[in-house]
PDB file of all heavy atoms in Angstrom:
ATOM      1  N   HIS A 324      -7.012 -11.721  -6.723  1.00 94.00           N
ATOM      2  CA  HIS A 324      -8.021 -12.038  -7.751  1.00 94.00           C
ATOM      3  C   HIS A 324      -8.736 -10.792  -8.259  1.00 94.00           C
ATOM      4  O   HIS A 324      -9.936 -10.835  -8.560  1.00 94.00           O
ATOM      5  CB  HIS A 324      -9.036 -13.050  -7.217  1.00 94.00           C
ATOM      6  CG  HIS A 324      -8.423 -14.250  -6.575  1.00 94.00           C
ATOM      7  ND1 HIS A 324      -7.682 -15.184  -7.292  1.00 94.00           N
ATOM      8  CD2 HIS A 324      -8.376 -14.658  -5.267  1.00 94.00           C
ATOM      9  CE1 HIS A 324      -7.241 -16.114  -6.459  1.00 94.00           C
ATOM     10  NE2 HIS A 324      -7.636 -15.810  -5.240  1.00 94.00           N
ATOM     11  N   THR A 325      -8.015  -9.694  -8.391  1.00 97.00           N
ATOM     12  CA  THR A 325      -8.624  -8.484  -8.931  1.00 97.00           C
ATOM     13  C   THR A 325      -8.155  -8.281 -10.368  1.00 97.00           C
ATOM     14  O   THR A 325      -6.966  -8.338 -10.659  1.00 97.00           O
ATOM     15  CB  THR A 325      -8.269  -7.237  -8.096  1.00 97.00           C
ATOM     16  OG1 THR A 325      -6.847  -7.015  -8.132  1.00 97.00           O
ATOM     17  CG2 THR A 325      -8.716  -7.407  -6.661  1.00 97.00           C
ATOM     18  N   ASN A 329     -13.404  -7.608 -13.720  1.00 97.00           N
ATOM     19  CA  ASN A 329     -14.277  -7.872 -12.578  1.00 97.00           C
ATOM     20  C   ASN A 329     -14.485  -6.631 -11.711  1.00 97.00           C
ATOM     21  O   ASN A 329     -15.524  -6.472 -11.072  1.00 97.00           O
ATOM     22  CB  ASN A 329     -13.830  -9.098 -11.765  1.00 97.00           C
ATOM     23  CG  ASN A 329     -12.526  -8.933 -11.014  1.00 97.00           C
ATOM     24  OD1 ASN A 329     -12.149  -7.857 -10.565  1.00 97.00           O
ATOM     25  ND2 ASN A 329     -11.806 -10.046 -10.852  1.00 97.00           N
ATOM     26  N   MET A 330     -13.514  -5.707 -11.712  1.00 98.00           N
ATOM     27  CA  MET A 330     -13.723  -4.468 -10.960  1.00 98.00           C
ATOM     28  C   MET A 330     -14.713  -3.548 -11.669  1.00 98.00           C
ATOM     29  O   MET A 330     -15.588  -2.949 -11.032  1.00 98.00           O
ATOM     30  CB  MET A 330     -12.387  -3.758 -10.728  1.00 98.00           C
ATOM     31  CG  MET A 330     -11.484  -4.471  -9.736  1.00 98.00           C
ATOM     32  SD  MET A 330     -10.082  -3.482  -9.160  1.00 98.00           S
ATOM     33  CE  MET A 330      -9.084  -3.353 -10.634  1.00 98.00           C
ATOM     34  N   ALA A 333     -18.164  -4.915 -11.138  1.00 98.00           N
ATOM     35  CA  ALA A 333     -18.667  -4.638  -9.782  1.00 98.00           C
ATOM     36  C   ALA A 333     -19.198  -3.217  -9.667  1.00 98.00           C
ATOM     37  O   ALA A 333     -20.233  -2.968  -9.039  1.00 98.00           O
ATOM     38  CB  ALA A 333     -17.563  -4.873  -8.767  1.00 98.00           C
ATOM     39  N   ARG A 336     -22.535  -2.786 -11.677  1.00 98.00           N
ATOM     40  CA  ARG A 336     -23.701  -3.371 -11.001  1.00 98.00           C
ATOM     41  C   ARG A 336     -24.351  -2.379 -10.051  1.00 98.00           C
ATOM     42  O   ARG A 336     -25.573  -2.415  -9.848  1.00 98.00           O
ATOM     43  CB  ARG A 336     -23.284  -4.639 -10.236  1.00 98.00           C
ATOM     44  CG  ARG A 336     -23.157  -5.880 -11.094  1.00 98.00           C
ATOM     45  CD  ARG A 336     -23.119  -7.147 -10.238  1.00 98.00           C
ATOM     46  NE  ARG A 336     -21.977  -7.176  -9.331  1.00 98.00           N
ATOM     47  CZ  ARG A 336     -20.791  -7.670  -9.625  1.00 98.00           C
ATOM     48  NH1 ARG A 336     -20.578  -8.173 -10.840  1.00 98.00           N
ATOM     49  NH2 ARG A 336     -19.813  -7.665  -8.740  1.00 98.00           N
ATOM     50  N   HIS A 359     -22.448  -4.083  -0.543  1.00 98.00           N
ATOM     51  CA  HIS A 359     -22.485  -4.417  -1.970  1.00 98.00           C
ATOM     52  C   HIS A 359     -21.117  -4.849  -2.497  1.00 98.00           C
ATOM     53  O   HIS A 359     -21.039  -5.457  -3.570  1.00 98.00           O
ATOM     54  CB  HIS A 359     -22.955  -3.206  -2.779  1.00 98.00           C
ATOM     55  CG  HIS A 359     -24.326  -2.719  -2.417  1.00 98.00           C
ATOM     56  ND1 HIS A 359     -25.474  -3.337  -2.861  1.00 98.00           N
ATOM     57  CD2 HIS A 359     -24.723  -1.681  -1.630  1.00 98.00           C
ATOM     58  CE1 HIS A 359     -26.531  -2.694  -2.381  1.00 98.00           C
ATOM     59  NE2 HIS A 359     -26.099  -1.687  -1.637  1.00 98.00           N
ATOM     60  N   LEU A 360     -20.051  -4.514  -1.755  1.00 98.00           N
ATOM     61  CA  LEU A 360     -18.693  -4.747  -2.269  1.00 98.00           C
ATOM     62  C   LEU A 360     -17.825  -5.502  -1.255  1.00 98.00           C
ATOM     63  O   LEU A 360     -16.604  -5.360  -1.261  1.00 98.00           O
ATOM     64  CB  LEU A 360     -18.033  -3.408  -2.618  1.00 98.00           C
ATOM     65  CG  LEU A 360     -18.669  -2.634  -3.775  1.00 98.00           C
ATOM     66  CD1 LEU A 360     -18.098  -1.216  -3.860  1.00 98.00           C
ATOM     67  CD2 LEU A 360     -18.469  -3.371  -5.102  1.00 98.00           C
ATOM     68  N   GLN A 361     -18.445  -6.328  -0.428  1.00 95.00           N
ATOM     69  CA  GLN A 361     -17.677  -7.073   0.569  1.00 95.00           C
ATOM     70  C   GLN A 361     -16.640  -7.983  -0.069  1.00 95.00           C
ATOM     71  O   GLN A 361     -15.582  -8.233   0.511  1.00 95.00           O
ATOM     72  CB  GLN A 361     -18.627  -7.900   1.461  1.00 95.00           C
ATOM     73  CG  GLN A 361     -19.493  -7.050   2.355  1.00 95.00           C
ATOM     74  CD  GLN A 361     -20.326  -7.898   3.297  1.00 95.00           C
ATOM     75  OE1 GLN A 361     -19.808  -8.533   4.218  1.00 95.00           O
ATOM     76  NE2 GLN A 361     -21.637  -7.927   3.072  1.00 95.00           N
ATOM     77  N   ASP A 362     -16.947  -8.496  -1.262  1.00 96.00           N
ATOM     78  CA  ASP A 362     -16.012  -9.390  -1.953  1.00 96.00           C
ATOM     79  C   ASP A 362     -15.132  -8.637  -2.952  1.00 96.00           C
ATOM     80  O   ASP A 362     -14.390  -9.248  -3.712  1.00 96.00           O
ATOM     81  CB  ASP A 362     -16.767 -10.510  -2.664  1.00 96.00           C
ATOM     82  CG  ASP A 362     -17.733  -9.989  -3.732  1.00 96.00           C
ATOM     83  OD1 ASP A 362     -18.051  -8.783  -3.700  1.00 96.00           O
ATOM     84  OD2 ASP A 362     -18.180 -10.783  -4.579  1.00 96.00           O
ATOM     85  N   GLN A 363     -15.204  -7.311  -2.946  1.00 98.00           N
ATOM     86  CA  GLN A 363     -14.400  -6.486  -3.850  1.00 98.00           C
ATOM     87  C   GLN A 363     -13.792  -5.313  -3.069  1.00 98.00           C
ATOM     88  O   GLN A 363     -14.107  -4.132  -3.332  1.00 98.00           O
ATOM     89  CB  GLN A 363     -15.260  -5.948  -5.003  1.00 98.00           C
ATOM     90  CG  GLN A 363     -15.641  -6.982  -6.038  1.00 98.00           C
ATOM     91  CD  GLN A 363     -14.537  -7.225  -7.057  1.00 98.00           C
ATOM     92  OE1 GLN A 363     -13.485  -6.598  -6.998  1.00 98.00           O
ATOM     93  NE2 GLN A 363     -14.762  -8.138  -7.996  1.00 98.00           N
ATOM     94  N   PRO A 364     -12.907  -5.600  -2.102  1.00 98.00           N
ATOM     95  CA  PRO A 364     -12.354  -4.511  -1.285  1.00 98.00           C
ATOM     96  C   PRO A 364     -11.519  -3.505  -2.078  1.00 98.00           C
ATOM     97  O   PRO A 364     -11.452  -2.330  -1.707  1.00 98.00           O
ATOM     98  CB  PRO A 364     -11.500  -5.242  -0.247  1.00 98.00           C
ATOM     99  CG  PRO A 364     -11.180  -6.569  -0.864  1.00 98.00           C
ATOM    100  CD  PRO A 364     -12.389  -6.918  -1.675  1.00 98.00           C
ATOM    101  N   PHE A 365     -10.884  -3.942  -3.181  1.00 98.00           N
ATOM    102  CA  PHE A 365     -10.106  -3.002  -3.988  1.00 98.00           C
ATOM    103  C   PHE A 365     -11.034  -1.944  -4.607  1.00 98.00           C
ATOM    104  O   PHE A 365     -10.714  -0.750  -4.633  1.00 98.00           O
ATOM    105  CB  PHE A 365      -9.352  -3.737  -5.100  1.00 98.00           C
ATOM    106  CG  PHE A 365      -8.115  -4.470  -4.662  1.00 98.00           C
ATOM    107  CD1 PHE A 365      -8.114  -5.254  -3.514  1.00 98.00           C
ATOM    108  CD2 PHE A 365      -6.944  -4.392  -5.394  1.00 98.00           C
ATOM    109  CE1 PHE A 365      -6.968  -5.939  -3.109  1.00 98.00           C
ATOM    110  CE2 PHE A 365      -5.793  -5.066  -4.999  1.00 98.00           C
ATOM    111  CZ  PHE A 365      -5.810  -5.852  -3.858  1.00 98.00           C
ATOM    112  N   VAL A 366     -12.194  -2.388  -5.094  1.00 98.00           N
ATOM    113  CA  VAL A 366     -13.173  -1.467  -5.671  1.00 98.00           C
ATOM    114  C   VAL A 366     -13.735  -0.555  -4.586  1.00 98.00           C
ATOM    115  O   VAL A 366     -13.884   0.659  -4.783  1.00 98.00           O
ATOM    116  CB  VAL A 366     -14.312  -2.245  -6.358  1.00 98.00           C
ATOM    117  CG1 VAL A 366     -15.360  -1.294  -6.912  1.00 98.00           C
ATOM    118  CG2 VAL A 366     -13.758  -3.126  -7.468  1.00 98.00           C
ATOM    119  N   LEU A 367     -14.049  -1.132  -3.438  1.00 98.00           N
ATOM    120  CA  LEU A 367     -14.543  -0.342  -2.318  1.00 98.00           C
ATOM    121  C   LEU A 367     -13.538   0.724  -1.921  1.00 98.00           C
ATOM    122  O   LEU A 367     -13.898   1.870  -1.613  1.00 98.00           O
ATOM    123  CB  LEU A 367     -14.846  -1.264  -1.135  1.00 98.00           C
ATOM    124  CG  LEU A 367     -15.440  -0.611   0.117  1.00 98.00           C
ATOM    125  CD1 LEU A 367     -16.771   0.060  -0.195  1.00 98.00           C
ATOM    126  CD2 LEU A 367     -15.608  -1.660   1.215  1.00 98.00           C
ATOM    127  N   CYS A 368     -12.247   0.359  -1.945  1.00 98.00           N
ATOM    128  CA  CYS A 368     -11.184   1.318  -1.642  1.00 98.00           C
ATOM    129  C   CYS A 368     -11.210   2.485  -2.624  1.00 98.00           C
ATOM    130  O   CYS A 368     -11.154   3.660  -2.216  1.00 98.00           O
ATOM    131  CB  CYS A 368      -9.826   0.626  -1.689  1.00 98.00           C
ATOM    132  SG  CYS A 368      -8.423   1.752  -1.635  1.00 98.00           S
ATOM    133  N   MET A 526      -6.219  -0.984  -0.206  1.00 98.00           N
ATOM    134  CA  MET A 526      -7.023  -1.827  -1.085  1.00 98.00           C
ATOM    135  C   MET A 526      -7.463  -3.115  -0.406  1.00 98.00           C
ATOM    136  O   MET A 526      -8.547  -3.624  -0.675  1.00 98.00           O
ATOM    137  CB  MET A 526      -6.258  -2.122  -2.370  1.00 98.00           C
ATOM    138  CG  MET A 526      -6.173  -0.906  -3.265  1.00 98.00           C
ATOM    139  SD  MET A 526      -5.377  -1.287  -4.816  1.00 98.00           S
ATOM    140  CE  MET A 526      -4.428   0.203  -5.026  1.00 98.00           C
TER     141      MET A 526
END
Side-chain angles (χ1 to χ4, degrees):
H324 310 294
T325 63
N329 68 31
M330 289 193 292
R336 280 195 299 271
H359 300 281
L360 294 169
Q361 292 185 69
D362 61 343
Q363 287 278 359
F365 283 45
V366 178
L367 183 60
C368 169
M526 288 184 219

